[in-house]
Amino acid sequence: MRIDVLTIFPQLFDAFFGASIVGGAREAGLVDLAAHDLRDWTDDRHRKVDDSPYGGGPGMLMKPEPLVRAIEALAGTKGEREGRRVVLMSPQGQPLDQPGLAGLARWEQLLLVCGRYEGVDQRAIELAVDEELSVGDYVLSGGEVPSMLVVEGLVRLLPGALGNPESLVSESFSTGLLEGPQYTRPPVFRGLAVPDVLRSGDHAAVAEWRASRARELTRCRRPDLFEAATDPTRPARAAAKEKQS
Ligand code: SAM
């Protein structure tokens, strides 16, 4: 898989692309990653990427010309892209979730576009962007951290990226539930003991305990997820969501 990021702050990605699971996957050749400076597609002396909004209002907007030029240079023209997807990080986008990530992981190449200022001229979105993606109902100053979220979430899904691929199976959201509590050594810490069952060596009992704690935690903290996970139509809905992205 190849993931390109278009940003006015490519230097933010230097450390991120080289560290941890993302860095390891890149090193192992599982993913190609590159951050591109949007200003390389400007054609004026000041390398200007923003302008004031029509109709007035606070702040600036990203101009359409360098943005569309850059997107078309990196991912081709909208409507003629094969295996490539251009995703704009945006609070107005579809909320990101695990099935959505799994859908994105199927593309050969993704171009993640990072907005800044007050956002992006609508014509650039219509002309060059395939989908808009939100990382939550809050506003950040730019699309760089949202892009990093997407890269990190996607890279975990690439076969071979995780030391133990079983992690993916038990993780929060893979079953539609949150993962339950986990413990490591020591057996007692400041008076709090690890539940006996986890030290019993009885794998079936451990699995049952984990499943019941996952159900209980999800029911208390995320009744919305619990309801969806126990809905018999859930697998069909998750598959549809994956297919959609
Ligand atoms: N004026 C915009 C609004 O009210 O929706 C907010 C623009 S925000 C300050 C600048 C950029 O940060 C956006 O264009 C987008 O790329 C990114 N961004 C901010 N919050 C985001 C979120 N929740 N999800 C994805 N991207 C986000």
Side-chain angles (χ1 to χ4, degrees), residues 182-232:
Q182 304 179 88
Y183 299 85
T184 183
R185 274 186 283 265
V188 180
F189 178 65
R190 296 198 177 180
L192 296 178
V194 172
D196 288 340
V197 62
L198 296 181
R199 303 179 62 211
S200 67
D202 180 340
H203 297 302
V206 168
E208 177 45 41
W209 183 86
R210 285 184 171 148
S212 80
R213 296 313 307 263
R215 279 196 301 274
E216 190 51 23
L217 191 74
T218 313
R219 199 179 57 76
C220 291
R221 293 198 185 162
R222 294 290 303 273
D224 57 321
L225 287 181
F226 185 76
E227 207 171 296
T230 48
D231 172 352

Side-chain angles (χ1 to χ4, degrees), residues 138-202:
Y138 44 82
V139 174
L140 301 169
S141 300
E144 286 76 12
V145 171
S147 288
M148 289 180 193
L149 284 175
V150 173
V151 170
E152 184 140 323
L154 282 173
V155 165
R156 299 177 60 71
L157 299 178
L158 297 176
L162 294 185
N164 185 347
E166 274 189 30
S167 308
L168 291 178
V169 181
S170 58
E171 267 176 353
S172 293
F173 311 114
S174 58
T175 57
L177 298 173
L178 302 175
E179 188 170 55
Q182 304 179 88
Y183 299 85
T184 183
R185 274 186 283 265
V188 180
F189 178 65
R190 296 198 177 180
L192 296 178
V194 172
D196 288 340
V197 62
L198 296 181
R199 303 179 62 211
S200 67
D202 180 340

Side-chain angles (χ1 to χ4, degrees), residues 68 78 117 143 210:
V68 171
K78 187 172 174 177
Y117 314 109
R210 285 184 171 148

Side-chain angles (χ1 to χ4, degrees), residues 1-232:
M1 179 174 207
R2 177 178 178 91
I3 309 176
D4 292 283
V5 179
L6 185 60
T7 165
I8 57 171
F9 295 117
Q11 67 274 28
L12 288 178
F13 292 84
D14 290 347
F16 177 68
F17 282 169
S20 187
I21 307 254
V22 171
R26 188 189 202 189
E27 188 97 332
L30 302 176
V31 63
D32 268 338
L33 297 166
H36 306 269
D37 189 346
L38 174 63
R39 294 190 198 279
D40 291 347
W41 281 274
T42 54
D43 55 9
D44 66 305
R45 205 158 52 90
H46 301 290
R47 293 167 43 95
K48 197 168 153 56
V49 292
D50 61 322
D51 211 333
S52 47
Y54 277 115
M60 303 292 270
L61 284 181
M62 297 187 89
K63 287 160 63 66
E65 306 95 318
L67 203 49
V68 171
R69 261 200 300 272
I71 293 173
E72 290 182 345
L74 293 168
T77 313
K78 187 172 174 177
E80 292 171 16
R81 291 174 189 142
E82 286 268 325
R84 295 161 160 188
R85 188 83 164 161
V86 175
V87 180
L88 172 67
M89 309 317 301
S90 160
Q92 288 91 34
Q94 279 297 310
L96 180 65
D97 62 9
Q98 199 64 40
L101 270 180
L104 284 179
R106 298 226 192 84
W107 294 95
E108 278 163 39
Q109 185 193 344
L110 287 178
L111 173 59
L112 305 179
V113 180
C114 306
R116 277 271 156 185
Y117 314 109
E118 286 306 317
V120 175
D121 183 288
Q122 183 61 28
R123 292 162 299 178
I125 301 175
E126 286 171 24
L127 289 168
V129 168
D130 297 310
E131 74 178 276
E132 296 175 63
L133 205 58
S134 165
V135 296
D137 291 346
Y138 44 82
V139 174
L140 301 169
S141 300
E144 286 76 12
V145 171
S147 288
M148 289 180 193
L149 284 175
V150 173
V151 170
E152 184 140 323
L154 282 173
V155 165
R156 299 177 60 71
L157 299 178
L158 297 176
L162 294 185
N164 185 347
E166 274 189 30
S167 308
L168 291 178
V169 181
S170 58
E171 267 176 353
S172 293
F173 311 114
S174 58
T175 57
L177 298 173
L178 302 175
E179 188 170 55
Q182 304 179 88
Y183 299 85
T184 183
R185 274 186 283 265
V188 180
F189 178 65
R190 296 198 177 180
L192 296 178
V194 172
D196 288 340
V197 62
L198 296 181
R199 303 179 62 211
S200 67
D202 180 340
H203 297 302
V206 168
E208 177 45 41
W209 183 86
R210 285 184 171 148
S212 80
R213 296 313 307 263
R215 279 196 301 274
E216 190 51 23
L217 191 74
T218 313
R219 199 179 57 76
C220 291
R221 293 198 185 162
R222 294 290 303 273
D224 57 321
L225 287 181
F226 185 76
E227 207 171 296
T230 48
D231 172 352

